[in-house]
């Protein structure tokens, strides 16, 4: 999963703090055995999205049952979301009927996701109807806003129940989907025979159903991205307006390169075809969710036409695509759970998400190395830390890559690890779980080294700075200048930010005319702003006695350089006004990577394409 690209991030600094890459979320499901959906009669699921523009998804399930007690579960631990994020509180209209009668049901006292009922004597079939209320705002990940007047994204976990005790690989579901008149659809789910707006799919395991979301809408553009070993890749673009789903020739080439580069890197694949389901809408929440044969990718409406938005979004598809190998096929043993209600263990997310983030950045050739400083949080994000094991792991895997190159005298690279760990043989989706020891053993096969010691040090010890060893090994160093780097400039434009955290220690909302303009999103502890007493949730009103603007703030920071003049910030704090005086005289400061005077440059070969030109 990759979290929002267009929410309100405060940006925090890897450079100021380094603590443990604390994997704290969780993931799910054995996707194996798709080919044997079990002996039970398939559960019938009929989803009706004709009310999706009203944010309501209707669902009807029909199950073969026996008389007696029965417990049905709503999916709680969502694969790829790494936590118990199933939106149980968004379910309404739950009704069970059997033998022509409505059945009484009771929610479990402890497990809010479990429903108990008694199937009456003589009944062989149970009908369940339920509605999922898709939120207009808020919600998390797949349970965030997913429907507009013109499109909807259906993750089947939102509208499904299943019998307690069943392994998701062993229980078969036969799905149908009704969409609003004139809407098209895209999905990796097999079958897809449509008639009068009702689409019928082939029966699949519950694992595969939940692994195969649907993008549907009035405006849908299916773009072929080429084949690898005869396997087809498609980019399916949906948006609220037709103009947002057209690709420029450069963009098309960028996505085609992604397919060829990833296949060149891993040397094999674990899907029968691949669909990037890309939603470009300002009314759904930006994020990405990985699946074996598709990804649910959501970003801003203008991401293909605004260069800053495109830069900000450039690594989303690479990240989710890499997950087909790293996360879906090879999966930490603690995340390969048999159903959607057993808790997941996350201690190996630094491989699952961290290596994916690293490879996603390397595969997104548009992203330069300033990318390494992209860490997001909210209030006090840099102090309390966030899901920044994603980005901090980039540094750990970069260091691992440079160690492999050094120890093998340039003969091996991290690509060799990827090929042996995630590669051959190609085939249909499967799951091959791994442990920490498996990772160590695979790295030792590439080149002998104290990998256990290195990784345990990076994962368990804390240090004063981010782990910058890989940058140094690659012949580069972190330096600061008074010029914004290109990546920060795109981030500021795409996310409406002003980022002066490396100088006075502030990240501010900047959106002229918006009531949030001037909001303090983050303060770096120990910075001039932090020492003066400014904290997140305050609002900047004026700089040195004049209405604030990013230009004025930056001029004030530059103007105080080398002088004794204090920077005066008038700030509103819940209706009260106060002037804070910042004692800061070092001028503007932004991070850059600079070449070391000596030593080989390894970053350039790491970021270079493998397959292009073939
Ligand atoms: Zn991810």
């Amino acid at each position: 999963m990759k979290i929002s690209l267009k929410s309100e991030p405060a940006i925090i600094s890897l450079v100021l703090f380094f603590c443990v890459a604390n994997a704290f979320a969780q993931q799910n499901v054995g996707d194996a055995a798709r080919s044997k959906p079990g002996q039970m009669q398939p559960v019938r699921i009929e989803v009706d999205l004709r009310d999706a523009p009203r944010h309501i998804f209707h669902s009807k399930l029909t199950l073969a049952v026996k008389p007696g007690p029965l417990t049905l579960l709503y999916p709680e631990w969502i694969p790829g979301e790494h936590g118990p994020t199933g939106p149980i509180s968004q379910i309404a209209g739950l009704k069970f009927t059997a033998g022509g009668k409505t059945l009484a049901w009771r929610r479990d006292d402890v497990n809010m996701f479990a429903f108990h009922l008694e199937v009456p004597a003589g009944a062989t079939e149970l009908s369940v109807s339920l509605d999922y209320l898709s939120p207009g705002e808020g919600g998390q990940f797949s349970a965030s806003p997913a429907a507009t007047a013109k499109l909807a994204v259906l993750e089947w976990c939102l509208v499904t129940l299943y019998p307690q005790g069943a392994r998701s690989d062993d229980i078969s579901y036969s799905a149908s989907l009704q969409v609003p008149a004139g809407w098209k659809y895209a999905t990796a789910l097999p079958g897809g025979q449509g008639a009068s707006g009702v689409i019928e799919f082939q029966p699949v395991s519950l694992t595969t159903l939940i692994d195969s979301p649907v993008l549907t809408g009035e405006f849908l553009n299916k773009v072929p991205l080429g084949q690898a070993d005869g396997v087809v890749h498609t980019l399916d673009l949906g948006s609220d307006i037709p103009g947002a789903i057209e690709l420029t020739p450069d963009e098309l080439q960028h996505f085609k390169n992604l397919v060829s580069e990833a296949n060149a890197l891993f040397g094999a694949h674990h899907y029968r075809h691949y669909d990037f389901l890309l939603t470009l809408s300002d009314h759904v929440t930006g994020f990405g969710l990985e699946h074996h044969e598709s990804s649910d990718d959501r970003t801003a409406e203008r991401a293909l036409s605004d260069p800053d938005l495109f830069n900000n979004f450039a690594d989303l598809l690479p990240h989710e695509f890499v997950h087909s190998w790293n996360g879906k096929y090879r999966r930490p043993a603690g995340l390969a759970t048999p159903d959607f209600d057993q808790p997941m263990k996350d201690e190996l997310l630094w491989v699952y998400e961290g290596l994916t983030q690293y490879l996603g950045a390397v595969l997104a050739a548009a992203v330069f190395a300033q990318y390494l400083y992209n860490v997001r949080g909210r209030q006090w994000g840099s102090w309390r830390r966030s899901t920044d094991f994603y980005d901090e792991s980039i540094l750990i895997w970069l260091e691992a890559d440079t160690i492999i190159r050094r120890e093998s005298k340039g003969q091996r690279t991290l690509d060799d690890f990827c090929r042996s760990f995630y590669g051959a043989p190609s085939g249909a989706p499967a799951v091959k779980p791994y442990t920490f020891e498996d990772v160590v053993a695979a790295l030792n096969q590439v080149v002998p080294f104290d990998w256990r010691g290195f990784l345990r040090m990076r994962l368990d010890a804390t240090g004063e700075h981010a782990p910058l060893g890989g940058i140094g090994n690659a012949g580069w160093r972190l330096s600061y200048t008074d010029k914004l780097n290109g990546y920060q400039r795109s981030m500021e434009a795409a996310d409406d930010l002003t980022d002066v955290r490396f100088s006075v220690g502030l990240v501010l909302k900047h959106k002229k005319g918006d009531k949030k303009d001037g909001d303090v999103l983050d303060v770096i502890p120990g910075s001039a702003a932090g020492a003066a007493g400014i904290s997140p949730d305050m609002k900047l009103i004026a700089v040195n006695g004049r209405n604030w603007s990013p230009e004025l703030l930056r001029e004030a920071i530059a103007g105080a350089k080398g002088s004794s003049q204090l920077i005066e910030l008038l700030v509103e704090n819940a209706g009260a006004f106060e002037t804070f005086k910042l004692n800061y005289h070092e001028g503007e400061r932004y991070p850059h990577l600079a070449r070391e005077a000596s030593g080989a440059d390894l970053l350039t070969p790491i970021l270079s394409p493998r397959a292009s030109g073939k």
Side-chain angles (χ1 to χ4, degrees), residues 1-2 80 82 288 290 319-320 323 352-353 356-357 390:
M1 181 172 65
K2 195 159 191 311
H82 313 308
E290 64 272 26
H319 179 106
E320 303 308 342
H323 269 320
Y352 182 126
E353 292 294 1
T356 297
Q357 192 80 334
Y390 276 69

Side-chain angles (χ1 to χ4, degrees), residues 498-511:
T498 296
D499 181 356
V500 288
R501 68 190 143 129
F502 295 102
S503 52
V504 294
L506 287 173
V507 182
L508 301 158
K509 188 81 184 170
H510 165 54
K511 200 173 185 185

Side-chain angles (χ1 to χ4, degrees), residues 48-272:
D48 181 351
L49 290 183
R50 285 175 300 171
D51 276 334
R54 295 172 60 210
H55 300 178
I56 305 169
F57 298 1
H58 304 290
S59 179
K60 188 175 168 225
L61 295 117
T62 311
L63 303 81
V65 290
K66 288 192 217 104
L70 176 68
T71 299
L72 294 172
L73 299 172
Y74 185 68
E76 177 179 359
W77 295 79
I78 306 306
E81 297 192 2
H82 313 308
T85 49
I88 187 69
S89 58
Q90 297 301 108
I91 294 301
L94 191 58
K95 189 177 172 191
F96 300 92
T97 53
K101 278 184 289 195
T102 299
L103 306 186
W105 58 272
R106 187 173 65 76
R107 192 188 298 266
D108 190 81
D109 292 334
V110 175
N111 181 2
M112 300 292 114
F113 293 75
F115 304 97
H116 303 298
L117 49 135
E118 185 77 25
V119 177
T124 56
E125 202 172 83
L126 174 74
S127 292
V128 186
S129 52
L130 63 88
D131 299 318
Y132 169 67
L133 308 179
S134 179
E137 58 180 24
Q140 239 189 332
F141 312 134
S142 61
S144 59
T148 75
K150 298 292 184 188
L151 63 84
V153 186
L154 172 68
E155 290 280 357
W156 296 90
C157 61
L158 301 173
V159 292
T160 306
L161 298 181
Y162 66 98
Q164 186 172 46
R167 288 173 52 90
S168 61
D169 285 346
D170 296 340
I171 180 166
S172 170
Y173 276 63
S174 150
S176 77
L177 177 66
Q178 188 158 17
V179 298
W183 283 25
K184 305 170 193 75
Y185 74 97
T187 179
L189 195 61
Q193 295 296 319
S196 63
V198 182
I199 306 143
E200 283 289 338
F201 296 99
Q202 287 170 9
V204 292
S205 71
L206 177 60
T207 304
T208 300
L209 181 73
I210 286 186
D211 193 43
S212 310
V214 181
L215 168 60
T216 176
E218 188 173 329
F219 309 113
L220 199 75
N221 186 13
K222 296 190 180 203
V223 180
L225 293 183
Q227 301 192 1
D229 301 334
V231 164
V232 172
H233 302 74
T234 309
L235 175 57
D236 307 289
L237 306 114
S239 185
D240 298 311
I241 57 166
I245 52 176
E246 300 304 328
L247 295 166
T248 65
D250 275 359
E251 287 165 347
L252 176 59
Q253 195 57 48
H254 172 91
F255 294 119
K256 284 182 165 177
N257 288 349
L258 169 60
V259 167
S260 52
E261 289 294 327
N263 278 280
L265 170 63
F266 293 110
H269 49 74
H270 313 283
Y271 46 79
R272 295 161 292 188

Side-chain angles (χ1 to χ4, degrees), residues 418-563:
C418 291
R419 215 161 303 122
S420 71
F421 203 67
Y422 300 107
S426 285
V431 181
K432 221 176 142 189
Y434 62 85
T435 63
F436 176 80
E437 291 305 323
D438 294 334
V439 176
V440 169
L443 283 165
N444 270 316
Q445 289 250 308
V446 175
V447 68
F449 184 69
D450 179 16
W451 290 109
R452 183 181 293 99
F454 165 73
L455 291 171
R456 289 267 60 108
M457 166 79 89
R458 287 287 172 264
L459 295 168
D460 300 339
T462 58
E464 239 175 274
H465 298 289
L468 300 176
I471 295 176
N473 291 351
W476 292 74
R477 72 191 144 77
L478 176 64
S479 70
Y480 293 86
T481 76
D482 60 0
K483 299 278 181 291
L484 259 180
N485 68 53
Y487 187 73
Q488 277 186 304
R489 190 173 301 114
S490 285
M491 283 262 292
E492 288 201 353
D495 290 332
D496 304 317
L497 300 176
T498 296
D499 181 356
V500 288
R501 68 190 143 129
F502 295 102
S503 52
V504 294
L506 287 173
V507 182
L508 301 158
K509 188 81 184 170
H510 165 54
K511 200 173 185 185
K512 250 188 147 171
D514 190 280
K515 68 178 180 7
K516 290 179 178 298
D517 184 54
D519 281 5
V520 178
L521 299 176
D522 199 14
V523 176
I524 305 299
S527 66
I534 298 176
S535 67
D537 296 321
M538 294 180 177
K539 183 191 264 311
L540 179 58
I541 306 293
V543 179
N544 291 339
R546 296 180 62 205
N547 265 339
W548 105 277
S549 69
E551 298 74 23
L552 196 61
L553 178 61
R554 290 190 155 120
E555 282 164 22
I557 293 169
K561 186 176 183 180
S563 81

